[in-house]
Every structure is written in C-alpha cells, then in structure tokens.
Amino acid sequence: DSINALHSDRVLHELEAKYQTEKKEKQIDLLTTQHQLAQSQKKAQLYVLLGIAIIIFILAIVFYILYRNRQKMASKLKELDSAKSNFFANISHEFRTPLTLIKGPIQNELSQEHLDDDRREILQMINRNTDRLISLVDQLLDLSRLESGSLQLKIERASLSSFSNVIIAPFQYLAKQKDIDFTAEIKEDSDSFFDRDVLEKVIANLLSNAI
C-alpha cells in the first residue's frame, strides 16, 4: 500500500508538473499571439494614417494647382479687360474726330437765314443724329473709364422735369416718323440732385430702344 501510495503521489506530481508546464506554454502562446495582434494593429493604424496623409497631400496639390490656374485665368481676364478698355477708348477717339468734323458744316448750314423749312428740318435731323453718334462714342469712353475705375459722377442740383423734357423732345420727331403715338407726362418737381450726362444717357437709351 505504501509503495502504491508513493507511486500514485509520483504520478500525481508528474501530471501536475505536466499540467503546469502546458499551462505556462499556453500562457506564453497567448501572450505571443496578443503581442503579434498588437503589432499588427499598430501596423494597420500606421498604414491607415500613412494613406490618409498621402490622400491629404494629393488633395493639397490638386487644390493648389486649381488655385494657381484660377489665379492665372483671373490675371488673363484682367489683361483682356484692360485691352478691351484701351480698344474702346482708342476707337472712340477715332470716331469722335470725323463726327465733330461732320457736325461743323451742318451747324454752319443751319446758321444760314435763307434755308427753306424742309431743308432746315433735314439738316436739324442730321445734326441731332450726329449729336446722338457723338453721345454713343462718349458712352464708349465712359465704359472704358468705368472699367478702369476712373469714372466719377458729377452731381448738380437742377429741375429733373425740365431736364427730362429737353431730352425727350428729339425723340418725338423720331416717333412721328414711325407713326408712334408718343406722349410725355412729367410732373413738375422741385430741384433734384443728379448727374446730367449719366441720366441723359439712361433716358436716351431707353427711349431709343423703345422706339
């Protein structure tokens, strides 16, 4: 019995030692696996961060290229606007000179006292149209000044109704030629503040386009 008991104790100790050894090996394997998983997660996070950084870098390059292209386009558009303004200014001056030369002889003829009514009316119509052309040329000049930022309003105090009647009068003849009933109803007013040249262009353009 003593021998059997000793034998049993030895077997139990061996089994216990074997169990403890296997347990420690499993713990080591578990720790190793956890360590490998942690390393894999760190690598995955590193790859994700690296990918995000690359994407941000690419987007930054794309936005920078788009910004540069937009800046270049804005610069070219500004150059084109400047060239257009210079063109309008130059061609306006070229038109204004012959129109002024045409207006001189017409006014000279109108100053003659022996003119019959029909001829005077025709010359007056030519004179009005010449003035209209000069006004259009001046508008081109104003456009170039406006785009260059050098156009300034010249405000003065005057009667708006009287001023409007003077502008409207030449268009009554044009409306009559086209058999258009043209009636002007302008209320008398007190003095107002406005730019004569600008307002004349506005009213004249509206009436001319309408007729």
Side-chain angles (χ1 to χ4, degrees):
D1 290 338
S2 297
I3 292 171
N4 286 332
L6 290 172
H7 179 69
S8 296
D9 290 339
R10 186 173 66 249
V11 171
L12 287 173
H13 284 301
E14 289 177 355
L15 289 173
E16 181 69 21
K18 186 177 181 181
Y19 171 75
Q20 292 296 334
T21 303
E22 290 179 353
K23 184 179 179 181
K24 290 179 180 179
E25 289 178 352
K26 288 181 179 179
Q27 288 178 347
I28 292 171
D29 291 340
L30 180 60
L31 290 173
T32 303
T33 304
Q34 289 177 347
H35 179 71
Q36 290 176 349
L37 286 174
Q39 292 294 328
S40 299
Q41 287 179 350
K42 287 182 180 180
K43 287 183 179 179
Q45 291 176 353
L46 181 62
Y47 290 147
V48 169
L49 291 175
L50 184 62
I52 293 173
I54 292 173
I55 292 173
I56 292 174
F57 179 71
I58 293 173
L59 289 175
I61 292 175
V62 171
F63 282 122
Y64 176 74
I65 292 173
L66 291 175
Y67 174 76
R68 286 294 301 274
N69 288 338
R70 183 173 293 180
Q71 290 292 102
K72 290 180 180 178
M73 185 174 293
S75 177
K76 288 187 178 294
L77 287 175
K78 190 174 181 180
E79 291 177 2
L80 287 174
D81 286 338
S82 177
K84 182 181 69 175
S85 298
N86 291 333
F87 170 76
F88 279 136
N90 293 333
I91 198 170
S92 298
H93 283 297
E94 294 297 327
F95 277 129
R96 210 178 195 287
T97 301
L99 287 172
T100 304
L101 294 175
I102 292 172
K103 187 176 176 62
I106 294 173
Q107 289 181 330
N108 185 46
E109 286 292 321
L110 286 172
S111 64
Q112 303 295 326
E113 296 181 358
H114 63 276
L115 282 177
D116 57 79
D117 293 338
D118 291 337
R119 184 173 176 80
R120 183 176 296 277
E121 186 176 358
I122 292 173
L123 288 173
Q124 287 175 343
M125 182 182 66
I126 295 173
N127 188 53
R128 284 194 298 269
N129 289 328
T130 304
D131 289 337
R132 179 64 180 150
L133 285 173
I134 293 174
S135 176
L136 291 173
V137 169
D138 289 339
Q139 288 183 44
L140 289 177
L141 287 171
D142 288 342
L143 177 62
S144 63
R145 295 193 193 102
L146 179 64
E147 292 182 344
S148 64
S150 60
L151 180 64
Q152 294 183 349
L153 295 178
K154 298 178 181 179
I155 307 298
E156 58 182 285
R157 186 173 182 175
S159 172
L160 188 59
S161 58
S162 300
F163 174 77
S164 301
N165 282 320
V166 172
I167 299 174
I168 289 171
F171 290 96
Q172 291 176 335
Y173 178 80
L174 180 61
K176 183 180 179 181
Q177 283 185 320
K178 294 188 175 185
D179 294 327
I180 297 174
D181 293 331
F182 181 56
T183 304
E185 296 180 2
I186 302 174
K187 295 180 180 180
E188 292 294 331
D189 63 339
S190 57
D191 289 347
S192 304
F193 294 92
F194 55 92
D195 185 311
R196 286 178 173 271
D197 185 55
V198 172
L199 193 57
E200 180 181 357
K201 290 181 174 64
V202 172
I203 297 175
N205 277 327
L206 289 173
L207 293 176
S208 177
N209 292 336
I211 293 176

